[in-house]
Amino acid sequence: MTQQVPLFINGEFCQSRSEQWIPVTDPATQDVICEVPCATADEMEAAIASAKEAFKTWKEVPVSERARLMMRYQALLKEHQEEIAEILAKETGKTFEDAKGDVWRGIEVVEQAANVPSLMMGETVENVARAIDTYSYIQPLGVCVGITPFNFPAMIPLWMFPMAIACGNTFILKPSEQDPLTPTRLAELFVEAGAPKGVLQVVHGGKDQVNTLLTHPEIKAISFVGSVAVGQHVYKTGTDHMKRVQSFAGAKNHMVIMPDANKQQVINNLVGASVGAAGQRCMAISVAVFVGAAKEWIPELKEAMAGVRPGAWNDASAGYGPQISPQAKARILSLIEQGKQEGAECLLDGSNCQVEGYPNGNWVGPTLFTKVKPEMTIYKEEIFGPVLSCVEADSLEEAIGLINASPYGNGTSIFTASGAAARKFQHEIEVGQVGINIPIPVPLPFFSFTGWKGSFYGDQHAYGKQAVRFYTETKTITARWFDSDIPAGGVNMTINLR
């Protein structure tokens, strides 16, 4: 029988009673790996009730104990990194090395969650008035929710629930229905690390299950990563129901190439940033802006991209894996065709890509367009595939104006040998994450992931200090004690710090 993915409710992995199951397929073969349930209304209510009940005791657990749970968890994740990566690679199609990177970036966030005591420190001012002190506490919200995408099934859940739980909240994770086995393994290891019953729940499903979480009165905060349309729905629905929401949506990331940059470094970095992970990452570079004479490097870029080929997860020589689904592949091929019809020049066409031994895989080869204009569909839409569009600009000012006109602002980068050009770019660009001679500027977790404009809806961003602020509320106390209240003989207290 096909493996059926369990729910994780009230500290137990349990078989769903759902009558609706979604097949999970290997994107390289279309073979069914497992089936994932659409949780029933009763199962959703049970998960929410369990999280609410667990919050009553978890919020009282000392912050140092919560931090030690995260220390144990990150040690287990490191111990099982390759095992998790293999599960992840098989269900997403990522190459094994790429999958290991997915897991490792999540581990780094768990390490940051282990530092939560220092991140939850409040503020104190003595004598704001005569004999009156004011101080603030950082306190958890309650039941929080994470809705995560298919493209990083380890990293993005680990962006969310460790930070939220370390802050004293309980958490309900609704991972992508396209690769549920990785989050299930993450939950198993969290239990092994000593997570108390009910602190984490994992439910599965689609739009109905998501809407239950967005509208339920017991849910206090929602974290989401995914497409533009769903991200807008999550943000609007969640905030309409008076919830705190952070919603990471689409992207169209540009890389500016100045003519004084190191040519080989540009080509090497641009190839990996555009086709790596099959282009299925929100920080992928999908537009290269060649300034002035830098456009002369495009033929060499084409040659380098042509040398990259997709392959199965365990093919060490493969540059990247398949698209996640036949539907995703079909959409990419349609956009490639539309680019040709709208007048862009397709220098390298991956539409008919085949991988030996995997005739049914969702393969798209590296694709390179030149003569791309801002009004073209391939320029405006997030393709989410191994497709790079080349645009030419006469000056850095023109390149900055082009990027700032985009409705998205997730990431951008510039390659240059000029400190002045880099300084101007980083100051004037209207994008949340900027790389200088770095193609994909994803910050380490002691900073925050800070998309702008149509790439993010909300106020506080993911991981780092902003995540702590998102998952907590600040309470400010103003206190006065009268000398007449001091008992005769003073105070004798014994404090147990164990």
Side-chain angles (χ1 to χ4, degrees):
M1 291 182 62
T2 302
Q3 177 185 356
Q4 293 187 326
V5 178
L7 304 171
F8 182 55
I9 297 175
N10 198 27
E12 301 289 339
F13 289 95
C14 53
Q15 189 71 24
S16 174
R17 297 182 298 276
S18 177
E19 295 181 356
Q20 185 180 358
W21 293 77
I22 302 169
V24 178
T25 57
D26 180 337
T29 65
Q30 308 311 318
D31 294 339
V32 175
I33 301 171
C34 60
E35 291 181 325
V36 64
C38 293
T40 67
D42 287 346
E43 289 163 345
M44 295 296 294
E45 285 294 335
I48 295 167
S50 173
K52 179 185 177 183
E53 184 64 24
F55 177 66
K56 295 176 182 178
T57 53
W58 180 244
K59 68 178 180 179
E60 305 298 340
V61 171
V63 65
S64 56
E65 290 186 26
R66 302 199 300 262
R68 284 192 287 270
L69 169 62
M70 297 305 159
M71 291 178 189
R72 295 192 298 271
Y73 188 40
Q74 63 88 18
L76 283 171
L77 290 170
K78 288 178 180 177
E79 180 183 342
H80 293 272
Q81 181 188 3
E82 293 203 354
E83 173 210 335
I84 301 167
E86 184 170 335
I87 295 169
L88 190 157
K90 288 178 178 177
E91 63 178 349
T92 64
K94 286 188 178 187
T95 63
F96 186 55
E97 289 303 315
D98 194 9
K100 284 200 296 183
D102 187 332
V103 179
W104 183 255
R105 291 309 300 264
I107 290 171
E108 289 179 326
V109 180
V110 179
E111 289 177 340
Q112 179 72 356
N115 190 41
V116 74
S118 62
L119 298 174
M120 292 190 69
M121 289 181 178
E123 298 172 320
T124 303
V125 175
E126 187 181 37
N127 284 335
V128 297
R130 294 187 185 280
I132 297 176
D133 306 326
T134 298
Y135 43 95
S136 63
Y137 291 147
I138 308 298
Q139 296 185 335
L141 299 175
V143 181
C144 300
V145 161
I147 303 164
T148 59
F150 76 85
N151 58 329
F152 287 94
M155 182 186 77
I156 294 179
L158 292 173
W159 273 13
M160 297 179 184
F161 75 82
M163 292 299 295
I165 290 171
C167 289
N169 302 286
T170 56
F171 201 88
I172 301 171
L173 175 65
K174 207 303 286 181
S176 170
E177 65 278 11
Q178 294 180 286
D179 43 18
L181 295 176
T182 301
T184 298
R185 187 64 182 130
L186 297 181
E188 290 172 347
L189 291 172
F190 197 50
V191 173
E192 188 176 336
K197 180 178 178 180
V199 167
L200 174 67
Q201 324 277 330
V202 183
V203 297
H204 299 287
K207 184 175 181 179
D208 290 343
Q209 288 70 28
V210 167
N211 283 336
T212 295
L213 297 171
L214 297 180
T215 59
H216 199 285
E218 296 299 341
I219 304 301
K220 304 303 179 185
I222 300 159
S223 301
F224 170 83
V225 178
S227 68
V228 174
V230 180
Q232 291 174 343
H233 171 75
V234 166
Y235 184 73
K236 187 175 189 307
T237 306
T239 54
D240 281 351
H241 287 81
M242 308 304 292
K243 304 184 189 311
R244 189 176 293 186
V245 181
Q246 54 177 199
S247 181
F248 296 84
K252 196 70 179 180
N253 305 317
H254 298 65
M255 183 169 128
V256 174
I257 300 103
M258 300 296 290
D260 66 343
N262 181 295
K263 179 175 67 173
Q264 199 55 53
Q265 290 177 355
V266 166
I267 291 171
N268 292 345
N269 283 274
L270 189 49
V271 170
S274 59
V275 306
Q280 297 177 127
R281 49 189 178 192
C282 66
M283 289 293 286
I285 296 296
S286 56
V287 179
V289 184
F290 290 87
V291 177
K295 65 185 177 183
E296 297 171 5
W297 304 346
I298 292 175
E300 292 172 75
L301 172 63
K302 173 190 172 182
E303 182 180 354
M305 290 183 67
V308 180
R309 64 172 187 84
W313 73 271
N314 55 357
D315 181 352
S317 63
Y320 59 90
Q323 309 309 130
I324 190 64
S325 68
Q327 294 79 10
K329 175 184 174 180
R331 178 181 176 275
I332 294 166
L333 297 186
S334 174
L335 285 165
I336 291 173
E337 184 59 31
Q338 196 165 355
K340 298 172 187 175
Q341 292 176 3
E342 292 180 2
E345 182 178 350
C346 190
L347 292 185
L348 187 64
D349 189 350
S351 298
N352 297 311
C353 179
Q354 295 292 323
V355 173
E356 185 177 354
Y358 297 90
N360 299 319
N362 307 318
W363 310 111
V364 178
T367 300
L368 179 65
F369 280 100
T370 58
K371 299 181 180 178
V372 176
K373 303 298 181 185
E375 62 270 17
M376 293 180 179
T377 304
I378 58 169
Y379 178 85
K380 293 187 293 185
E381 289 199 20
E382 183 176 26
I383 300 174
F384 225 58
V387 181
L388 178 64
S389 296
C390 296
V391 177
E392 297 175 15
D394 293 330
S395 64
L396 176 59
E397 289 77 6
E398 183 182 345
I400 291 172
L402 186 73
I403 297 169
N404 286 349
S406 172
Y408 301 112
N410 214 34
T412 189
S413 59
I414 183 171
F415 274 66
T416 181
S418 167
R423 174 65 172 76
K424 178 180 178 65
F425 184 78
Q426 73 179 29
H427 179 67
E428 296 183 9
I429 209 70
E430 296 170 6
V431 176
Q433 295 163 123
V434 181
I436 298 172
N437 298 318
I438 292 173
I440 300 181
V442 178
L444 289 169
F446 31 85
F447 288 89
S448 293
F449 189 96
T450 52
W452 281 16
K453 298 192 287 189
S455 295
F456 176 71
Y457 305 99
D459 298 303
Q460 301 288 349
H461 292 87
Y463 56 77
K465 294 179 182 178
Q466 291 197 32
V468 173
R469 293 294 174 259
F470 178 77
Y471 290 122
T472 60
E473 196 67 272
T474 301
K475 178 182 289 182
T476 304
I477 301 151
T478 302
R480 177 171 63 181
W481 298 96
F482 298 97
D483 289 348
S484 59
D485 292 334
I486 299 176
V491 179
N492 181 21
M493 296 178 63
T494 300
I495 301 175
N496 185 356
L497 294 177
R498 188 177 61 177

